[in-house]
Amino acid sequence: MGCSNLWAPWRKEYIQTLSEGSDCFICHNLENPRDDDKNLVLWRTEKSIVVLNRYPYNNGHLLIAPARHIANLDEATDEELLELTKLVRECQKALSATINPDGFNVGMNFSRCAGAGLPGHLHIHIVPRWDGDTNFMNVCSDTNIVSQSLAELAEQLKQISKKESLPCL
Ligand SMILES: [Zn+2]
């Protein structure tokens, strides 16, 4: 587990937002398609949504969520589970074509005690990894740089998606 300790100081802001009892940002994004650019929405599919994590653990951190506000996998239909899994594959394709990671962490957290930032709406994290990236992120810890690079990365991912016809479900 030598490469699992990423240092992401901008997440402090995120954790503060949570303690203020904010609403579900995934549902908010789903209901406001006109704000997709601002909300860093990458894809909308029949049953799901894919967004860039505004508080990333690493460059290119994506979140895949079902369109329904459900907390647990046993509430998801087989069709939803299939689409979510296919989207993991498609996110990896898009990220590989855009920022060429050496690897990925893919995972889910259930309930606050397990580190879920948004326990009410299940979501899959896709975190690109590079050899030696724990060192890299120390250099890029400034929140403004992160926000700026998020908008640029979102644009690059959209262009790649168009070119490669992603997501292919
Ligand atoms: Zn929700």
Side-chain angles (χ1 to χ4, degrees):
M1 293 298 285
C3 60
S4 62
N5 295 314
L6 288 167
W7 189 64
W10 52 87
R11 289 188 55 81
K12 259 191 297 185
E13 186 191 327
Y14 174 51
I15 288 158
Q16 280 158 9
T17 312
L18 291 174
S19 61
E20 285 158 14
S22 52
D23 294 324
C24 175
F25 77 88
I26 292 171
C27 285
H28 175 83
N29 290 351
L30 282 159
E31 288 156 13
N32 294 280
R34 271 182 294 178
D35 293 334
D36 274 1
D37 286 344
K38 194 180 94 191
N39 293 332
L40 301 170
V41 174
L42 178 60
W43 299 329
R44 289 171 178 271
T45 61
E46 194 191 334
K47 296 176 171 56
S48 325
I49 189 167
V50 177
V51 300
L52 279 79
N53 191 340
R54 193 173 289 283
Y55 304 98
Y57 283 118
N58 211 351
N59 190 30
H61 183 167
L62 300 180
L63 301 174
I64 305 168
R68 288 195 305 136
H69 184 92
I70 52 174
N72 293 300
L73 288 174
D74 60 9
E75 296 167 79
T77 65
D78 286 358
E79 290 75 23
E80 283 169 326
L81 292 172
L82 179 62
E83 192 177 284
L84 292 168
T85 310
K86 284 180 171 179
L87 282 168
V88 172
R89 178 190 67 199
E90 298 303 295
C91 285
Q92 287 183 305
K93 276 192 214 169
L95 289 165
S96 293
T98 311
I99 49 178
N100 193 30
D102 296 319
F104 294 94
N105 290 121
V106 176
M108 305 178 79
N109 303 319
F110 295 96
S111 90
R112 280 276 157 83
C113 72
L118 187 69
H121 199 141
L122 76 85
H123 52 283
I124 305 173
H125 295 263
I126 313 281
V127 182
R129 301 303 302 266
W130 289 267
D131 298 329
D133 59 6
T134 51
N135 300 327
F136 169 75
M137 291 313 278
N138 286 344
V139 177
C140 290
S141 59
D142 184 276
T143 312
N144 292 326
I145 295 174
V146 171
S147 313
Q148 197 182 6
S149 61
L150 276 171
E152 284 168 20
L153 179 62
E155 192 48 45
Q156 286 175 357
L157 284 165
K158 281 177 194 165
Q159 284 173 13
I160 288 280
S161 302
K162 203 179 273 180
K163 194 173 139 213
E164 309 276 329
S165 302
L166 301 174
C168 179
L169 299 177

